[in-house]
Amino acid sequence: MKNTLKVRLYLGFALALILVAAGGIFSHLTFTHQRSEGQWVEHSYEVITTAQRLNRYVYEIESSVVAYRNTREKKFLDPYYESKPRILPVAEDLRKLVADNTAQFRRASKLETGVIALLNYWQELYEVRDSSYLFGNQVVITEEEQKYVDTVHNIIGELVSEERALLVNRVASNKSSMGRAMNTLVLN
């Protein structure tokens, strides 16, 4: 009788250890998954913020060159000179951020090419050519410039729109994962 009681106690203790270990492993996996889901949500916000920062730089430069063309006062080119060196590093950062998504990576690469073309166009106009060409051809310049600017803004819009769609899915997955994590805490 003593042996069977002793065996039962050992089996009960072993079962308790197995359940505690299983609960610990399950908890670890659940919280690791939840952390991963949270990082994807954070990643989406970072992509959107970086794209919006790039868009803001393009708008700042666009506004400054339009103001310069309208007033012929060089002080309006100050934002152009301040924002110009910031644009390409941000475009490169954006491309690196979306390297995990083939479609987004293609958009970011296309965007970077568009930004380079736009910067080269602006450099040609405001740093190479003389102002007589600039002020004598404003209509042609404005139309040509608008093509470059629209291309950049449209690609940014597509990229942000796609990332927001991914964000919706990632937030839903993160909420589900948080629910599982909470249930795991309650059960343990």
Side-chain angles (χ1 to χ4, degrees):
M1 186 91 166
K2 267 189 172 183
N3 281 342
T4 58
L5 182 61
K6 195 175 186 180
V7 169
R8 283 185 187 170
L9 285 174
Y10 281 128
L11 286 176
F13 184 70
L15 180 63
L17 283 176
I18 289 170
L19 289 175
V20 168
I25 291 169
F26 181 71
S27 294
H28 174 73
L29 293 174
T30 301
F31 286 106
T32 300
H33 179 70
Q34 196 284 318
R35 184 176 55 227
S36 174
E37 293 294 331
Q39 287 171 340
W40 279 112
V41 169
E42 186 178 317
H43 171 79
S44 285
Y45 280 119
E46 190 174 357
V47 169
I48 292 167
T49 301
T50 303
Q52 289 172 338
R53 184 177 330 123
L54 178 61
N55 211 24
R56 188 184 76 233
Y57 288 149
V58 171
Y59 275 123
E60 286 174 1
I61 290 177
E62 182 183 9
S63 296
S64 74
V65 297
V66 168
Y68 171 65
R69 284 197 309 259
N70 290 335
T71 64
R72 298 180 185 200
E73 292 184 33
K74 288 238 182 223
K75 70 179 181 179
F76 288 107
L77 286 178
D78 289 346
Y80 165 77
Y81 290 112
E82 290 170 12
S83 296
K84 184 183 170 201
R86 298 178 186 155
I87 287 182
L88 281 180
V90 172
E92 186 178 324
D93 289 346
L94 184 60
R95 190 173 40 81
K96 288 177 185 174
L97 279 171
V98 297
D100 61 306
N101 181 323
T102 307
Q104 288 288 71
F105 184 77
R106 270 189 252 127
R107 277 188 195 97
S109 296
K110 187 176 168 186
L111 174 62
E112 192 171 19
T113 301
V115 166
I116 290 169
L118 180 59
L119 288 174
N120 287 340
Y121 180 76
W122 279 331
Q123 182 175 1
E124 173 73 20
L125 286 178
Y126 301 106
E127 296 177 31
V128 176
R129 291 185 184 250
D130 64 349
S131 59
S132 62
Y133 172 82
L134 182 66
F135 298 119
N137 297 291
Q138 283 195 36
V139 173
V140 174
I141 289 170
T142 301
E143 289 173 359
E144 186 72 21
E145 178 183 57
Q146 198 59 49
K147 290 177 191 172
Y148 288 115
V149 169
D150 286 347
T151 298
V152 168
H153 289 312
N154 289 340
I155 296 170
I156 290 172
E158 291 170 7
L159 201 140
V160 168
S161 180
E162 173 68 21
E163 200 63 37
R164 284 192 175 135
L166 289 169
L167 180 61
V168 167
N169 294 334
R170 289 172 177 169
V171 165
S173 182
N174 189 41
K175 281 184 180 180
S176 172
S177 182
M178 283 179 11
R180 282 191 304 274
M182 291 299 282
N183 290 338
T184 301
L185 276 177
V186 169
L187 292 175
N188 284 332

